[in-house]
Amino acid sequence: MARFFPPQSFQLSDYVQHLPENDLDPPFLPDWQILHVPGHAPGQIALFREKDRTLLGADAFATANHESVPELLLQLPKISVAGAPFNYNWQQVGESIRTLAALRPEAIGCGHGPVVKGPRPRPACKN
């Protein structure tokens, strides 16, 4: 499919604004905290809102088990490593996951998998 995409990159500099790392009051996102969570991608960020303990975890981890094709296809809710072949730095993946786990989120949305709610989501793997 890549051959059908335009060969030049898109210029978004008039629309995109740099977000500060680990900012407790980011622009346009009242009540949210930005957290730098590299490992899957170098500049990856997660967003956390303390008042309702909501985490938007990007691809730091997944909420569907990527180790099981049936579970992944059914999108069964389970905390799992995200896109294992696509993680560029496993040490940073682990550090990022520990940082996010320490927040003790009660609602989690990630790039892959369903929204998970509740105090004890079930882990799928031991990483």
Side-chain angles (χ1 to χ4, degrees):
M1 291 299 297
R3 68 177 149 202
F4 297 111
F5 294 121
Q8 74 280 356
S9 64
F10 296 99
Q11 288 300 320
L12 301 174
S13 57
D14 291 340
Y15 308 100
V16 176
Q17 179 179 340
H18 174 77
L19 292 173
E21 289 183 23
N22 298 325
D23 190 343
L24 296 177
D25 191 23
F28 311 111
L29 297 168
D31 300 325
W32 290 89
Q33 178 183 0
I34 297 173
L35 299 147
H36 185 231
V37 288
H40 184 72
Q44 179 172 253
I45 64 164
L47 299 170
F48 182 68
R49 188 170 56 200
E50 175 73 34
K51 69 181 178 183
D52 58 2
R53 311 206 65 73
T54 297
L55 173 66
L56 302 178
D59 284 340
F61 60 94
T63 56
N65 184 2
H66 284 231
E67 304 293 316
S68 166
V69 173
E71 287 184 41
L72 185 60
L73 291 173
L74 294 171
Q75 293 289 285
L76 299 176
K78 188 186 277 188
I79 302 298
S80 178
V81 66
F86 304 107
N87 291 320
Y88 80 97
N89 185 317
W90 281 100
Q91 180 178 346
Q92 288 181 337
V93 167
E95 291 167 6
S96 293
I97 290 171
R98 284 187 290 279
T99 296
L100 297 176
L103 299 171
R104 305 186 68 71
E106 293 186 14
I108 302 170
C110 287
H112 302 279
V115 170
V116 175
K117 292 183 180 182
R120 292 190 176 255
R122 186 169 56 113
C125 57
K126 298 174 187 172
N127 288 344

